[in-house]
Amino acid sequence: MTDHLRHLAIEIELQPGEKLALPPAVIDSVGAGRWVVTIEPAGAAPIRGHGALLNGYVAEDEGLYDADSGR
């Protein structure tokens, strides 16, 4: 079992005039090596949808799976 940090995500809310300060536990978790630090607004993660599937539907697909309707 390894105790190396693999992924760490924290959410921080700043009030107007506040500056970013990371919690000491976060700073202590980062040691020697290569790291990727990403900062993005909360809620910016894309929401998975089915738009691509629905947009790919054409009238010729109608009835394509009728034989499987008993499942």
Side-chain angles (χ1 to χ4, degrees), residues 56-70:
Y57 177 84
V58 293
E60 291 81 18
D61 293 338
E62 188 65 40
L64 188 61
Y65 299 106
D66 286 350
D68 292 336
S69 62

Side-chain angles (χ1 to χ4, degrees), residues 11 13 23 25 30-31 33 37-38 57 59-60 63 67:
E11 186 170 321
E13 183 175 344
V30 178
V37 177
T38 304
Y57 177 84
E60 291 81 18

Side-chain angles (χ1 to χ4, degrees), residues 19-58:
K19 294 199 181 266
L20 175 64
L22 296 174
V26 173
I27 295 169
D28 294 341
S29 297
V30 178
R34 295 180 60 188
W35 296 88
V36 175
V37 177
T38 304
I39 297 181
E40 63 184 44
I47 298 173
R48 288 198 277 176
H50 298 93
L53 173 68
L54 297 175
N55 291 336
Y57 177 84
V58 293

